[in-house]
Amino acid sequence: MQELIQEGRAKVNLTLRVVGRRVDGYHDLESVVAFADCADSLSLTPGAGLHLATSGPLAQACGEPEDNLVFKAAQLLSERVPGLVLGDFTLDKMLPVAAGIGGGSADAAAALRLLAQANGLALDDPRLIEVARLTGADVPVCLNSNACVMTGVGETLMPLSLPKMPCVMVNPRVPVATADVFKALGLRNGQLLVGATDVLRTPGWPEDGASLEDWVEALAAVSNDLEEPAMRIQPVIGEVLAALSASNGAWLVRMSGSGATCFAIYENTADARRAAQQIQTDHPGWWVHAGILS
């Protein structure tokens, strides 16, 4: 069979509220999620066995193949689909790891799409959905990579129609472990961070066809609850936020996920490109991307 290719697009949390921590230790979240136009590339040559090779500028950060979420997703799916055709995966790693943009989850989701394609499975096959949830909290939202409101532990998705959002994404090339950030948040099992009154006051999101300005205004009313604990772990996140805030034309500046990637939304792509160029000049060691969220 011929080589199949899928992209693993970066996921950006435009908002992230931590509702509370369940008695089982998992955190309930509410997040508006968009996807960027920067991505890893994953290819699959169907065949016997399961192998993963890595390439690209950030390949060394991927660790051992057996620990990669691509490998985990493929193994879990093979346990549920008799006779599943696997093969040789090659991951071209472009996105920073442990960065709050779901790079590993996007790669795992791309692997599931490739295996579905190679085996004639529908993307809404219950076995595929189950494996996505078991592989990681962000894998279900990355499976279709469409803008949505994500709630629960990532399993409940409500589609959204977002305008194209010119953006700059910046990562200081410092990994931040999600588990460490939630630990720094400090919620006990069964503790609620958001009360019933807060839920009732949650603003509704703009309707289909709303302008970028309307969306930025709505997004600005809800923060990322993980930003402050993440900055305690890696203070450089504050420097990234300051650099984006100081750029001309930045309408909204925020951290994505559990960090350390931060983003700014701009009125137009020209402003975004100029901001990215200035930040890259001032901080040549940082990963910087100017593009579009949607």
Side-chain angles (χ1 to χ4, degrees):
M1 296 179 68
Q2 65 179 2
E3 182 184 62
L4 307 173
I5 300 176
Q6 286 277 338
E7 284 191 335
R9 294 171 63 197
K11 166 215 60 119
V12 173
N13 299 91
L14 298 175
T15 68
L16 200 163
R17 295 203 314 165
V18 179
V19 177
R21 187 174 185 180
R22 299 180 178 184
V23 292
D24 60 9
Y26 288 99
H27 290 78
D28 275 317
L29 309 176
E30 181 183 275
S31 177
V32 175
V33 176
F35 286 85
D37 55 359
C38 53
D40 293 334
S41 179
L42 185 68
S43 66
L44 170 65
T45 302
L50 173 60
H51 306 279
L52 173 62
T54 55
S55 62
L58 295 175
Q60 288 188 335
C62 292
E64 295 299 320
E66 295 78 10
D67 297 328
N68 195 285
L69 291 184
V70 167
F71 214 85
K72 179 180 178 180
Q75 287 180 316
L76 288 171
L77 190 61
S78 68
E79 293 170 3
R80 287 158 177 79
V81 180
L84 184 76
V85 173
L86 297 168
D88 296 326
F89 286 101
T90 300
L91 174 61
D92 189 23
K93 191 65 181 172
M94 307 296 291
L95 301 176
V97 301
I101 53 175
S105 297
D107 298 339
L112 292 176
R113 292 195 299 270
L114 288 168
L115 290 171
Q117 186 177 353
N119 290 273
L121 300 175
L123 284 183
D124 60 356
D125 187 302
R127 296 167 296 183
L128 207 71
I129 302 301
E130 180 189 18
V131 167
R133 292 174 178 171
L134 291 172
T135 303
D138 281 336
V139 180
V141 74
C142 291
L143 197 57
N144 290 309
S145 296
N146 293 325
C148 66
V149 177
M150 178 176 69
T151 55
V153 292
E155 79 280 12
T156 304
L157 308 173
M158 184 186 75
L160 281 178
S161 177
L162 291 179
K164 293 187 181 303
M165 298 180 170
C167 79
V168 173
M169 300 165 59
V170 179
N171 182 277
R173 297 189 188 274
V174 174
V176 179
T178 299
D180 291 346
V181 176
F182 276 110
K183 183 178 180 181
L185 186 64
L187 294 186
R188 302 181 305 276
N189 286 8
Q191 181 180 355
L192 289 177
L193 192 62
V194 175
T197 303
D198 297 313
V199 173
L200 291 173
R201 290 176 179 170
T202 299
W205 299 115
E207 297 180 355
D208 291 0
S211 68
L212 174 60
E213 192 170 2
D214 288 340
W215 267 100
V216 169
E217 183 179 355
L219 293 169
V222 185
S223 62
N224 180 345
D225 290 338
L226 298 183
E227 202 169 282
E228 191 274 333
M231 278 194 287
R232 292 205 305 269
I233 295 172
Q234 288 292 354
V236 69
I237 293 171
E239 297 178 32
V240 176
L241 291 168
L244 286 166
S245 297
S247 64
N248 290 328
W251 278 7
L252 178 71
V253 176
R254 186 161 290 163
M255 187 184 81
S256 175
S258 56
T261 302
C262 302
F263 67 91
I265 296 174
Y266 297 80
E267 181 179 5
N268 55 65
T269 55
D271 284 349
R273 283 196 298 268
R274 283 192 291 268
Q277 290 168 359
Q278 186 61 56
I279 292 171
Q280 191 71 86
T281 298
D282 294 341
H283 303 277
W286 290 0
W287 178 88
V288 181
H289 171 78
I292 298 290
L293 299 176
S294 61

